Amino acid sequence: MSKLLRITTLVTLLCAAVPAAQAATYSFSGMMDSGSLIGESFTGNFSFDDLGLTGVDLEIRGLNSLSLSFLGNTYTLGNADAMPDVSFLNGSFLGLSYSVTTSTLGFSVIPGFSDTSDAFIAYDKLSGGNIVDGQSGYGSIVYLPVPEPESYAMLLAGLGLMGVVARRRSQAA
């Protein structure tokens, strides 16, 4: 039993030595629900520094990276009209804020107001810098956090510890 206690203590110390997560990564996808681009889909991912989030009131963080694929094009931080960011309200993730304007299309990813369920993307087709009548619409967006490697390490350590315990119990019986 003392060997199991030593192993448990070692695993706990190793887990405590792993630094706290500082970067969070999310993937997202969606589809246009209205307008001339109805049925067109988009996908992407972004990361940001979550160190210092307090879970109190409105908190906004700038992005470290972003990639969005839409209509055969890939958009990044460099394509943004303004600095993109993510928002949290009382610890609840609201979504991404990101806008791009090209010669033929303008679109904005809008965060939700209370959570991600009311986040969306809106677009306008453009010609000569002007919105083309009847060529605007919106779409839905879904966010998924990407697990960090530390999460997998903790899972594997826990499963390994459970295996050791189960083996010891079967040997004792």
Side-chain angles (χ1 to χ4, degrees):
M1 189 67 167
S2 65
K3 186 175 181 182
L4 179 61
L5 182 60
R6 283 192 304 249
I7 291 172
T8 304
T9 303
L10 179 62
V11 169
T12 303
L13 290 173
L14 287 174
C15 290
V18 175
Q22 294 185 16
T25 302
Y26 280 75
S27 65
F28 61 93
S29 61
M31 185 173 291
M32 295 304 163
D33 300 325
S34 72
S36 60
L37 297 179
I38 193 167
E40 293 289 344
S41 63
F42 60 93
T43 62
N45 59 66
F46 57 88
S47 67
F48 60 94
D49 186 358
D50 65 356
L51 187 66
L53 285 173
T54 63
V56 178
D57 294 326
L58 179 64
E59 297 180 276
I60 298 173
R61 293 287 184 268
L63 299 183
N64 298 336
S65 66
L66 174 120
S67 177
L68 184 149
S69 298
F70 181 46
L71 297 175
N73 297 305
T74 300
Y75 301 95
T76 65
L77 291 175
N79 301 110
D81 294 339
M83 191 55 135
D85 57 49
V86 292
S87 302
F88 292 82
L89 181 62
N90 296 323
S92 178
F93 178 65
L94 302 177
L96 171 67
S97 178
Y98 178 63
S99 295
V100 171
T101 303
T102 68
S103 60
T104 59
L105 181 71
F107 66 87
S108 295
V109 179
I110 313 293
F113 297 103
S114 60
D115 59 29
T116 59
S117 68
D118 48 1
F120 64 98
I121 184 170
Y123 69 89
D124 296 306
K125 282 196 170 180
L126 305 173
S127 177
N130 298 314
I131 298 172
V132 178
D133 286 342
Q135 301 293 305
S136 300
Y138 63 89
S140 55
I141 187 167
V142 175
Y143 295 98
L144 295 171
V146 176
E148 298 171 1
E150 292 85 4
S151 299
Y152 289 120
M154 291 287 284
L155 174 65
L156 290 174
L159 288 174
L161 186 59
M162 288 174 57
V164 167
V165 169
R167 183 176 178 145
R168 297 283 261 157
R169 285 186 181 170
S170 68
Q171 287 176 350

